[in-house]
Amino acid sequence: MYAPERQQEILRLARDGGRVDVLSLAETFQVTAETIRRDLKALDRAGLLRRVHGGAIPAGRLDFEPDLAEREGTAADEKDRIARAALAELPAEGSVILDAGSTVARVAAALPLESTLTVVTHGLPTAARLADHPGIQLHLIGGRVRQRTRAAVDAWALRAYGEIRADVLFLAANGFSAGGGLTTPDLAEAAVKRAAVAAARRVVLLADSAKHGQEHFARFGDLADVDLLITDTGLDPDDAAAIEAAGTEVVRA
């Protein structure tokens, strides 16, 4: 099968199913994952598909949001490396906000038992991982819980973040870029993320490289709001250099 034929079939599958993922397409067409990524990139450039984390969706579906189980299993190796690198950014003592997100939850799971921190989170999976940690003073932010992400949102959460000032925020995003800023599919989650950014002295964005260049419906900040981006080696060095030139430090784990 020639590339244009394969790309046409990929487009059909995306329109029929609402999304496609790289690994399934590679198996279907008996080609490498890198070949599929090139196909998706070509379709994205043509405006026919929108690349998202691990695959693509039909163009125009900026509200698409994978559920928690899907996000947990996507780019697992990259997320583990990012989480390990994030441990170096923890204060020796002090307060930390952990955003809702699968990579940030891995940071919670990796916290050493000797850690003595005050941790604030609105992510239920993150709170569950820290509930029995002996050295953590855990504060769970309340609010309406979104079923898709298990994150607390709305007025209660916004009010609580307005009352604190933490040393470090470990932030998650569905998409990030110099032009598009920091984005996520849901307006309520975007509002809570914005409040968390305002509540921290230092902001560390944890995002794998597949999210670079992605733009979703709800924008909650600029890359200039981020002090440090921790991503994986899949981020092009030229893109990393451009981000650093704009004032955000980059670590490629």
Side-chain angles (χ1 to χ4, degrees):
M1 181 180 288
Y2 294 109
E5 296 174 303
R6 186 175 59 247
Q7 290 167 13
Q8 187 65 37
E9 183 64 12
I10 289 171
L11 182 60
R12 184 191 67 78
L13 291 171
R15 287 173 172 169
D16 289 348
R19 76 160 290 156
V20 288
D21 68 88
V22 170
L23 295 181
S24 295
L25 290 174
E27 183 176 353
T28 297
F29 294 107
Q30 293 296 293
V31 295
T32 66
E34 186 56 37
T35 296
I36 295 297
R37 291 190 184 97
R38 286 196 296 268
D39 288 336
L40 297 183
K41 187 174 183 179
L43 290 166
D44 182 277
R45 285 177 173 171
L48 299 172
L49 289 183
R50 173 79 65 174
R51 294 177 71 192
V52 297
H53 187 47
I57 58 174
R61 288 197 60 198
L62 294 182
D63 60 338
F64 176 80
E65 186 176 17
D67 62 22
L68 189 63
E70 183 178 349
R71 288 187 291 120
E72 283 283 355
T74 304
D77 291 342
E78 290 87 347
K79 291 177 179 179
D80 285 339
R81 295 200 304 272
I82 292 168
R84 287 194 295 270
L87 295 178
E89 302 304 317
L90 290 168
E93 293 180 348
S95 54
V96 174
I97 298 172
L98 296 180
D99 189 12
S102 56
T103 308
V104 178
R106 281 170 157 80
V107 176
L111 284 179
L113 287 178
E114 63 270 19
S115 296
T116 56
L117 295 166
T118 297
V119 175
V120 181
T121 186
H122 61 283
L124 268 64
T126 297
R129 294 185 181 190
L130 292 176
D132 295 324
H133 194 294
I136 299 299
Q137 293 187 36
L138 179 63
H139 296 261
L140 177 59
I141 298 289
R144 175 177 64 88
V145 176
R146 292 194 67 231
Q147 185 176 18
R148 182 165 289 274
T149 60
R150 309 296 195 271
V153 297
D154 293 344
W156 286 359
L158 297 176
R159 185 163 59 247
Y161 275 126
E163 296 174 351
I164 67 171
R165 188 70 170 163
D167 295 315
V168 182
L169 161 66
F170 289 101
L171 179 67
N174 295 73
F176 69 96
S177 67
L182 309 171
T183 60
T184 193
D186 184 75
L187 285 170
E189 292 220 24
V192 176
K193 290 176 183 292
R194 193 178 301 115
V197 169
R201 297 182 182 89
R202 177 172 168 80
V203 177
V204 178
L205 175 62
L206 308 182
D208 61 80
S209 60
K211 296 178 180 178
H212 179 252
Q214 302 303 323
E215 294 182 23
H216 293 263
F217 177 65
R219 191 174 188 276
F220 61 90
D222 297 309
L223 268 178
D225 299 323
V226 174
D227 298 289
L228 170 65
L229 164 65
I230 303 180
T231 186
D232 58 80
T233 53
L235 181 67
D236 188 276
D238 291 339
D239 291 328
I243 292 171
E244 289 201 312
T248 299
E249 183 185 356
V250 178
V251 169
R252 297 163 69 239

